[in-house]
Amino acid sequence: MTSVVIPVNSFDLVIFGATGDLAMRKLLPALFRRHAVAQIPEQARIIGLSLSKHTTDDYRTLATNALEKHIPADELDSELLSSFLERIHYIPNDVTDPEGWTELVDMLDQFPDRIRVYYLAVSPTFFGVIAHGLSNAGLSDGKARLVVEKPLGHDLKSAQQLNSDIGAVFEERCIYRIDHYLGKETVQNLMALRFANALFEPIWNAQSIDHVQITAAESLGVGTRGGYYDNSGAMRDMVQNHLMQLICLIAMEPPHDFNANAVRDEKLKVLRALKPIKGFDALNKTVRAQYLAGPDSPSYVDEAKNPESTTECYVAIEAEIENWRWAGVPFFLRTGKKLRSQVTEIAIVFKKPPHLVFGNLSTPISNNVLSIRLQPDEGLELELMTKEPGPGGFRLHATPLDVAFAEAQDTGRMPDAYERLLMDVVRGDQTLFMRGDEVEAAWEWIDPIMEGWEKSGTKPETYDSNSEGPTAAVEMMARSGRRWRKI
Ligand code: BG6
């Protein structure tokens, strides 16, 4: 099945922070790939902005280097590359200088009717400054779209400040808050699975589901990002955004329609129904930890260059959703760096049959598990109990029904999240973007946990590099009579 390409209207996409890592590693490769399938109209322009005094030619050279690094050589056809580079322009600009906006204004004014997208691939400390700069330069009318990305605040208060800074210039319908997890094909497939199949809805609740496990395990350490990461930690870097968005999509009620506000209203209800974890529960219902040095690899505190660091690079949480559908079903989340493997999955673990008709089984019956794999190898697996073949006795074993999406749908390469999200911005579709109130509700749940850690005066646990994580997380699970899935 070839994926359908629906061309978008012509646009000018302005990237602030055009020489930074996000632009080079994600945005330009994603745009190139959309160009390669002719989704982007010929007249559309990509305008890079940053402090560096480059010319457009210099920037095109930087873009070429980035594409050569991040796109496989067999996809980088030279004609495609040169037609893509023709779309790229560069303006050196200091966003803090009120006089520095003229060149951008002149360039955008050449095509006043085009869709304008401003992608702020810069530190959030500049979000407010840039939003006001755009407004003062007359570039923030109702057609313009502002794209921002995490960290969207450090806590509830700073997230509110940020929302109010950009909200003073751009209406909510013009603000696109990216969480790249929402652009992943498998995450959207979770919605297809739930809302396009009648099969699961009757059992998608506390009557049939024992618990849910969400795992985002990474095999790499923090590496050269140690300095940045030490001010953030796994809770802010992964849980507040990516994992909480996944909880929302698993737990939300079916929206009445697949439109941005209907979907986001339902997600918000889930966030608001999360049982607060505060005080002692912050230690009892969560585990935070740091990896130790391996035979050939440094420890977290070494990579962070901060021997006294109490920043967590692993978190496990037992969350609860206080509503009719989910009462009594724990949602276990875990994420960490330098773990045994690179696995991101959601596992819905169903209850066991209420009565066992097979009396003397040599192996116990295991729970049915529906696992939705985000990586590696995006797909679905349903673990069912089946009979072991052969006469004599009656032995059961768990058999997986496995569907790898790329294979099943024969689509070849799965598109990167940014390809989808960038085109959605141009189309003006906010369904896969976070609304301001969602971001704030997520912080409202996260803040008391982090306060609980801080007030306890305890230090993070430790775990061996390339392991499954700290023992304390296994113990937390065991207290609820359950076990983590293998990673
Ligand atoms: C980013 C985090 O948002 O997500 C990184 O800042 C993390 O620390 C990454 O490695 C994981 O994303 P993915 O798409 O590789 O699961």
Side-chain angles (χ1 to χ4, degrees), residues 256-419:
H256 72 273
D257 181 51
F258 195 58
N259 74 45
N261 276 333
V263 170
R264 298 186 301 177
D265 286 346
E266 295 305 335
K267 281 162 54 192
L268 182 64
K269 287 184 204 160
V270 174
L271 293 168
R272 293 202 168 137
L274 280 166
K275 183 174 178 184
I277 298 181
K278 34 175 123 159
F280 176 67
D281 273 348
L283 300 183
N284 200 27
K285 300 273 183 192
T286 77
V287 172
R288 65 194 161 129
Q290 298 174 331
Y291 52 82
L292 297 167
D296 323 299
S297 59
S299 65
Y300 171 73
V301 290
D302 286 343
E303 285 191 316
K305 298 195 176 51
N306 179 6
E308 297 307 316
S309 169
T310 55
T311 302
E312 74 293 346
C313 50
Y314 175 100
V315 189
I317 304 180
E318 178 178 346
E320 276 176 76
I321 299 173
E322 298 186 302
N323 65 19
W324 275 43
R325 188 188 281 268
W326 296 112
V329 179
F331 279 66
F332 295 98
L333 321 176
R334 68 180 156 163
T335 180
K337 304 274 184 198
K338 207 73 181 189
L339 292 168
R340 175 169 297 151
S341 43
Q342 186 83 18
V343 180
T344 311
E345 67 155 33
I346 296 162
I348 314 288
V349 182
F350 290 91
K351 290 187 172 161
K352 290 194 173 148
H355 167 71
L356 274 189
V357 297
F358 309 104
N360 302 319
L361 285 176
S362 48
T363 46
I365 280 203
S366 41
N367 303 58
N368 297 136
V369 181
L370 173 67
S371 62
I372 300 147
R373 272 191 317 270
L374 279 67
Q375 65 173 335
D377 191 17
E378 305 189 312
L380 273 183
E381 186 185 283
L382 180 60
E383 251 177 61
L384 298 171
M385 291 308 292
T386 57
K387 181 188 164 295
E388 215 176 274
F394 201 92
R395 287 170 304 280
L396 298 172
H397 70 144
T399 314
L401 286 181
D402 199 342
V403 183
F405 291 139
E407 217 174 277
Q409 301 175 349
D410 195 21
T411 47
R413 182 185 71 84
M414 279 290 192
D416 183 73
Y418 284 90
E419 293 178 52

Side-chain angles (χ1 to χ4, degrees), residues 184-197:
K184 288 181 187 265
E185 281 293 322
T186 313
V187 174
Q188 292 160 53
N189 242 316
L190 175 58
M191 290 191 269
L193 184 81
R194 287 198 58 201
F195 306 133
N197 295 287

